[in-house]
Amino acid sequence: MNVPVWLWIATIVGLLVLIAIDLVIVDRKPHEVTIGEASRWVVFYIALAVLFGLGIWMFSGWQFAGEFFAGYITEYSLSIDNLFIFVIIMSTFSVPAIHQHKVLLIGILMALVMRGAFIAAGAQLIERFTWVFFLFGAFLIYTGWKLAFTGHDDEEFKENLFLRAIRRVLPVTKEYHEAKSFVRIDGKRWVTPMFVVMVAIGSTDLLFALDSIPAIFGLTKETYLVFTANAFALMGLRQLYFLIGGLLNKLVYLSVGLSVILGFIGVKLILEALATNQLSFINDGQPLDVPHIGIELSLSVIVGVLAITTIASLIKVRRDPEAVKQLD
């Protein structure tokens, strides 16, 4: 897939315009996001992603369009899993409802910038060392196994290295000062909890990228598709937080479904690594004749697993209300 520089620039500018519009329209007057408002924004961002994918289909063919859709759906589903942690973070920091949208927007924007660096590094690594697919595949299978058997057992949020560093270096106020991230008190500049929670959202999402980035590279090797799929998934994540926040605890089998997807992509990566093998201790450094998992099958498995997971979860909690997860 040949992506000219001007298209990269246009894509990044388009994302910045979307963020600016979001800030002007939604955060012009801080308020608690309603279900109806969140629904319209979710439909808007999903429609944009679909139109973008159709544009790829029109100009580059179904193969790349299918890779984009598979990557987008995978990233979006893994991002939904992140919402469990976002709910805990919002509760831990007692973020006022009227400012939660801004926290998510800035935090996810920070995560997108950092993910961009991850994607660029991953693309260079894959281009130079094809055997890295063995590592990615093994990591995804392990992550899927761990997710299936541990799920989300954390009842409280534990501050990571970024947040501990901020608290050591910068003075942090005990109370929020409206939506301000920095304030000056008695001539001294302070950081507010608003800034800390934004860093918490961004850095936590970056940690989740450790499995989602290898997963999407298992579906497409095109850096442009990897980046745009991540961007669309993250941009639509904020409004989804408000739309399904109350339903998250009912998706009791989500971790199982995502573990199946991660395991499937992990196997796909290992098969591709074997098909392009250059390691001397495997088949004398020669490629192996192994089955190829096409994008059509990958897309079908991802969509099918997510559909079954959602339906099974809703049936489970309807029959057994006590199965509902407690997030707070």
Side-chain angles (χ1 to χ4, degrees):
M1 185 178 183
N2 183 24
V3 182
V5 176
W6 68 263
L7 184 55
W8 272 103
I9 295 175
T11 301
I12 295 174
V13 170
L15 288 173
L16 293 177
V17 170
L18 281 176
I19 293 171
I21 292 175
D22 208 334
L23 280 171
V24 171
I25 294 179
V26 181
D27 280 325
R28 178 179 55 184
K29 184 179 180 181
H31 63 283
E32 185 173 352
V33 178
T34 64
I35 297 296
E37 181 182 2
S39 300
R40 291 189 293 271
W41 278 102
V42 167
V43 171
F44 171 73
Y45 279 114
I46 292 178
L48 279 183
V50 172
L51 289 175
F52 183 83
L54 293 177
I56 294 176
W57 189 356
M58 181 180 300
F59 292 103
S60 300
W62 161 249
Q63 176 67 26
F64 293 123
E67 292 177 2
F68 168 78
F69 282 122
Y72 168 68
I73 294 172
T74 299
E75 290 296 317
Y76 209 7
S77 59
L78 288 171
S79 295
I80 291 174
D81 196 42
N82 298 359
L83 293 183
F84 284 98
I85 307 302
F86 289 175
V87 170
I88 296 174
I89 292 175
M90 292 292 190
S91 176
T92 300
F93 286 91
S94 301
V95 181
I98 62 173
H99 298 314
Q100 288 185 2
H101 178 271
K102 183 175 182 178
V103 167
L104 287 171
L105 177 61
I106 304 301
I108 289 176
L109 178 59
M110 293 168 57
L112 181 58
V113 172
M114 292 185 287
R115 279 197 182 203
F118 263 36
I119 292 169
Q124 290 297 317
L125 190 63
I126 291 171
E127 184 177 350
R128 296 184 181 183
F129 309 104
T130 57
W131 52 263
V132 77
F133 277 170
F134 284 113
L135 299 180
F136 282 0
F139 177 72
L140 290 180
I141 292 173
Y142 168 74
T143 303
W145 175 85
K146 185 178 179 181
L147 184 60
F149 289 97
T150 62
H152 295 277
D153 295 328
D154 293 336
E155 295 181 355
E156 60 182 15
F157 171 72
K158 299 178 182 178
E159 294 191 355
N160 55 40
L161 180 63
F162 294 102
L163 299 182
R164 293 196 297 270
I166 287 177
R167 292 191 183 279
R168 283 198 299 266
V169 176
L170 301 174
V172 182
T173 63
K174 294 183 178 180
E175 299 178 350
Y176 287 91
H177 292 261
E178 298 179 343
K180 297 178 180 179
S181 298
F182 303 93
V183 294
R184 186 175 293 277
I185 302 176
D186 296 330
K188 182 179 180 180
R189 184 174 291 276
W190 291 71
V191 171
T192 72
M194 180 69 67
F195 176 79
V196 177
V197 73
M198 288 177 182
V199 175
I201 293 290
S203 57
T204 300
D205 183 84
L206 182 62
L207 294 178
F208 279 105
L210 294 177
D211 55 45
S212 65
I213 298 300
I216 192 171
F217 270 118
L219 298 169
T220 177
K221 310 301 182 298
E222 299 294 333
T223 308
Y224 181 74
L225 298 182
V226 173
F227 175 76
T228 51
N230 270 271
F232 278 111
L234 289 178
M235 289 298 293
L237 181 62
R238 305 182 322 284
Q239 307 301 339
L240 196 63
Y241 170 87
F242 298 103
L243 180 61
I244 69 170
L247 299 177
L248 279 176
N249 54 354
K250 295 183 179 180
L251 298 177
V252 293
Y253 294 132
L254 179 61
S255 295
V256 176
L258 293 178
S259 69
V260 172
I261 292 175
L262 289 176
F264 170 77
I265 298 176
V267 172
K268 183 177 185 295
L269 277 172
I270 291 178
L271 289 177
E272 291 189 17
L274 290 172
T276 58
N277 175 55
Q278 296 178 347
L279 298 178
S280 59
F281 57 86
I282 298 179
N283 196 36
D284 295 327
Q286 299 300 314
L288 282 78
D289 184 15
V290 295
H292 172 70
I293 300 177
I295 194 62
E296 294 82 1
L297 178 58
S298 299
L299 188 56
S300 300
V301 170
I302 293 169
V303 173
V305 169
L306 290 176
I308 293 173
T309 297
T310 302
I311 295 172
S313 295
L314 296 179
I315 292 176
K316 174 65 175 179
V317 297
R318 183 176 181 180
R319 293 180 176 179
D320 181 15
E322 294 184 359
V324 175
K325 297 181 179 180
Q326 299 300 321
L327 297 180
D328 292 335

